[in-house]
Amino acid sequence: MEQVLNLLLLRFGLLVGGVVVLALLVFAVAVVLRRRGRLDDVRRYAAPAARAVCRRLEARGATRGRGASRSGGSLAGAAFRAAARHLDDDGRGQRERGAGR
């Protein structure tokens, strides 16, 4: 029994360590892009992808019958919707966005 618990603890530690390393890597890439002034370009490229993933998750949630749930969908869908809203607001004012329409 003790060996099983040790293996589970080791697996949990490796998973958490991997998530921490991945988060640090993403943070380092964001800092480098910001210092080089390329973060806005990356945001513009990432916005359509975030919107597409958001639409896909919403469609998947609606087909499973969760589209009209009280919470408004899945947690991943909410995270991607928030990311898409953040990427939409790339520093330009509302007048500049509406001027081209």
Side-chain angles (χ1 to χ4, degrees):
M1 183 70 177
E2 185 179 342
Q3 289 178 340
V4 172
L5 290 175
N6 284 338
L7 286 174
L8 289 174
L9 183 61
L10 180 65
R11 186 178 73 172
F12 178 73
L14 288 174
L15 283 172
V16 169
V19 169
V20 167
V21 168
L22 184 63
L24 288 172
L25 183 65
V26 169
F27 180 72
V29 168
V31 167
V32 168
L33 288 172
R34 185 176 179 137
R35 285 188 180 185
R36 292 184 181 176
R38 305 282 299 180
L39 192 59
D40 290 334
D41 295 336
V42 173
R43 282 182 181 168
R44 279 193 287 277
Y45 291 132
R51 284 190 210 105
V53 169
C54 180
R55 283 192 303 267
R56 173 81 173 134
L57 286 173
E58 285 177 352
R60 189 176 74 181
T63 59
R64 291 185 179 172
R66 294 187 321 209
S69 69
R70 190 166 39 119
S71 66
S74 67
L75 181 61
F80 280 111
R81 281 190 296 276
R85 278 194 302 269
H86 179 71
L87 290 171
D88 280 343
D89 186 27
D90 60 351
R92 296 182 295 167
Q94 195 69 3
R95 290 183 311 206
E96 291 177 16
R97 268 189 252 156
R101 294 179 189 178

